[in-house]
Amino acid sequence: MTASYFVIGASHRTCSGAIRDRLTTEEAEVPAMLERLSAAGIAQAMWLSTCDRVEVQAVHERPNEAALTIAGIMAERVGLGEPDLAGQLYTLTGAAAVRHVFAVACSLDSQIVGEPHILGQVKAAHRHAAAAGLSGPELEGLLQAAYGAAKRVRRETPIAEGATSLVAAAVQVARDLHGDLRRCTGLLMGLGDMGALVLEGLREAGLGRLIVAAPVDRRAEAAARRMDSHFAPWADLDSALTSADIVVTAAGLGRYILSAPQLGAALKRRRRRPVFVVDAAIPADVDPDVAGLDEAFVYDLADLERVALQGRVGREAATQAAWAIVDEALAAFARHRAERAAVPAVAALRTHFETERRRLLDEQRGLDAASATRLLVNRLLHGPSEALRAMAADPDGAGLAERAAAERLLFRLFRLDEPAGNGAGSDLDKDERREPGREVQ
């Protein structure tokens, strides 16, 4: 049975933020999840967990059955029954799964198209799969092709400039408001990739201190360690807000995590020192009423885009160019797979020819080259000739169509000149010589 590609998971498009948070897997937990997949009989799989998605990219002979097994593992992880989680999962198979893997690696399926973190996250998940012995030839070939497409997209289109320009705009506004960022404290609320990207840019610009908080404390603490920053429990958010000169929200839970009363109280404790708020989440994290507070300067991604002077037309053109590269890479990948699929048949044919050649030399020692090659050709053509005649002799007539198709294929495979008229393939019915012991006619 032929192995097929499939993907199953939950993303910002299909799953609530609360469920996605529970499903999100820290890097240290990934090996255990891969062990679960291996124990379930899934031999090629990668567990990818980002702020936007948690999904398994895999290969299996029975992809739909394997996807149901993985859905059960995911439901167990979040503490839900499979039917309760099923509506928040997506399953893709075959060509749709391959296209999805390419789109993810190329950052075309991210909340912020072009954000640069996803490719590194895919490669990290790939390393875990390889270490667990779950990166077989089919999965390896798919991922390497996706990496090649991602490299081309980065090199040949300006798609990554969109996310980069948003970060530069955030840094510009922060400096305009606060001046020297070395004296400032930043607070990251939520662990979305765009929020992390904005904070990364602010730190490169000199941000003095960073605090990380998220609705799930264990995730925030792990992220704080990775980012070499301070951790604040979600329950202590009011204290963290008081010390924050820059607040970046990136949870995308579908509900507001920063309210006007909450930030208003923090501003009082700050003695009205201004706060720059970046809402880097989709859907929004910040209550619109926050923008009405004195000394609160709120920017969402659209505001930052306007600061960066990057128009929608330019972004859409870059995205279309990136998809064109992906489509070209997908076609090349499909061709490569088809060519590889033909290799066993070619190898079997070559082995058969070689076996017949050796057998003839053993049986007919002392023949001159002309006689030996003539006998070899007769022997090799005997089987195909008999098969074609059997098709033509089929009493219900179906064999005639089968024979015609086989003859057309032979002419194509061996690059033969088709004879005029309806006599295609008639040369196979003619044989001037009969090999001793073999009937060719």
Side-chain angles (χ1 to χ4, degrees):
M1 188 177 295
T2 304
S4 297
Y5 294 111
F6 73 97
V7 177
I8 179 171
S11 77
H12 59 282
R13 290 191 174 90
T14 66
C15 184
S16 71
I19 296 298
R20 206 164 67 246
D21 262 347
R22 288 155 65 183
L23 192 56
T24 297
T25 312
E26 296 301 329
E27 191 167 1
E29 300 174 294
V30 171
M33 301 311 299
L34 292 173
E35 283 184 21
R36 294 285 307 277
L37 298 181
S38 180
I42 299 167
Q44 296 189 59
M46 182 177 83
W47 187 284
L48 175 64
S49 180
T50 75
C51 74
D52 289 343
R53 77 191 69 251
V54 178
E55 68 183 30
V56 173
Q57 301 176 358
V59 183
H60 201 272
E61 292 80 4
R62 294 178 294 277
N64 292 319
E65 292 179 23
L68 287 174
T69 299
I70 295 170
I73 293 172
M74 289 181 168
E76 183 180 330
R77 178 170 177 81
V78 299
L80 290 175
E82 290 182 44
D84 297 321
L85 183 62
Q88 302 198 57
L89 298 179
Y90 51 86
T91 301
L92 304 168
T93 59
V98 172
R99 183 177 177 83
H100 175 83
V101 171
F102 274 62
V104 169
C106 295
S107 191
L108 292 172
D109 195 59
S110 300
Q111 285 186 328
I112 306 300
V113 172
E115 65 88 7
H117 287 156
I118 184 63
L119 184 58
Q121 292 167 327
V122 171
K123 289 183 175 181
H126 184 185
R127 287 193 296 271
H128 280 296
L134 295 183
S135 181
E138 289 85 6
L139 183 61
E140 187 71 25
L142 172 63
L143 292 172
Q144 292 301 334
Y147 296 156
K151 184 177 180 180
R152 282 193 60 197
V153 166
R154 294 284 170 184
R155 184 178 67 244
E156 299 176 24
T157 76
I159 194 166
E161 295 175 7
T164 303
S165 66
L166 295 180
V167 174
V171 170
Q172 176 187 325
V173 175
R175 281 178 168 158
D176 289 345
L177 184 62
H178 291 299
D180 188 354
L181 297 183
R182 289 177 296 180
R183 298 192 300 267
C184 293
T185 294
L187 170 62
L188 176 62
M189 296 172 59
L191 303 177
D193 286 342
M194 195 60 203
L197 194 63
V198 170
L199 261 304
E200 183 181 301
L202 289 167
R203 294 185 90 177
E204 290 177 357
L207 182 69
R209 183 169 178 260
L210 174 61
I211 303 169
V212 177
V216 180
D217 284 343
R218 65 174 177 82
R219 291 191 61 208
E221 193 168 10
R225 285 195 299 270
R226 288 196 306 269
M227 300 172 74
D228 191 24
S229 60
H230 301 278
F231 159 68
W234 198 250
D236 296 340
L237 196 56
D238 288 345
S239 176
L241 280 169
T242 301
S243 62
D245 304 291
I246 301 169
V247 176
V248 178
T249 67
L253 299 180
R255 57 180 173 81
Y256 299 136
I257 63 170
L258 184 61
S259 67
Q262 188 180 26
L263 187 59
L267 285 168
K268 287 182 181 178
R269 292 190 295 271
R270 288 173 55 81
R271 297 181 182 179
R272 298 296 176 183
R273 283 182 292 122
V275 175
F276 174 37
V277 179
V278 178
D279 189 344
I282 301 173
D285 283 336
V286 179
D287 185 336
D289 290 342
V290 171
L293 297 173
D294 291 338
E295 309 306 329
F297 297 85
V298 182
Y299 284 68
D300 62 16
L301 295 175
D303 296 325
L304 292 177
E305 187 175 45
R306 282 191 287 273
V307 172
L309 299 177
Q310 178 172 332
R312 173 175 293 274
V313 173
R315 184 175 68 246
E316 289 183 351
T319 301
Q320 290 173 3
W323 272 115
I325 290 172
V326 167
D327 288 338
E328 184 180 321
L330 285 169
F333 179 69
R335 279 197 308 273
H336 179 67
R337 287 198 77 207
E339 289 165 0
R340 285 182 61 86
V343 168
V346 173
L349 186 63
R350 185 181 295 275
T351 299
H352 171 65
F353 281 13
E354 179 63 16
T355 299
E356 292 295 331
R357 185 185 74 87
R358 290 181 180 276
R359 183 179 298 158
L360 184 143
L361 291 175
D362 289 341
E363 294 173 356
Q364 306 289 338
R365 295 182 181 277
L367 285 179
D368 60 88
S371 298
T373 52
R374 183 168 54 250
L375 289 175
L376 178 60
V377 169
N378 287 343
R379 182 170 291 190
L380 293 177
L381 289 179
H382 175 75
S385 298
E386 289 295 303
L388 288 170
R389 276 194 289 271
M391 293 176 193
D394 188 349
D396 64 6
L400 291 174
E402 187 179 9
R403 180 195 183 196
E407 289 180 346
R408 285 195 298 272
L409 182 60
L410 284 173
F411 278 103
R412 179 179 176 187
L413 289 176
F414 292 98
R415 300 179 181 178
L416 305 176
D417 293 329
E418 292 197 39
N422 297 323
S426 60
D427 287 347
L428 288 172
D429 293 329
K430 298 176 184 176
D431 188 28
E432 295 81 9
R433 290 178 190 274
R434 184 177 298 177
E435 177 188 346
R438 292 266 183 166
E439 179 65 56
V440 180
Q441 292 287 350

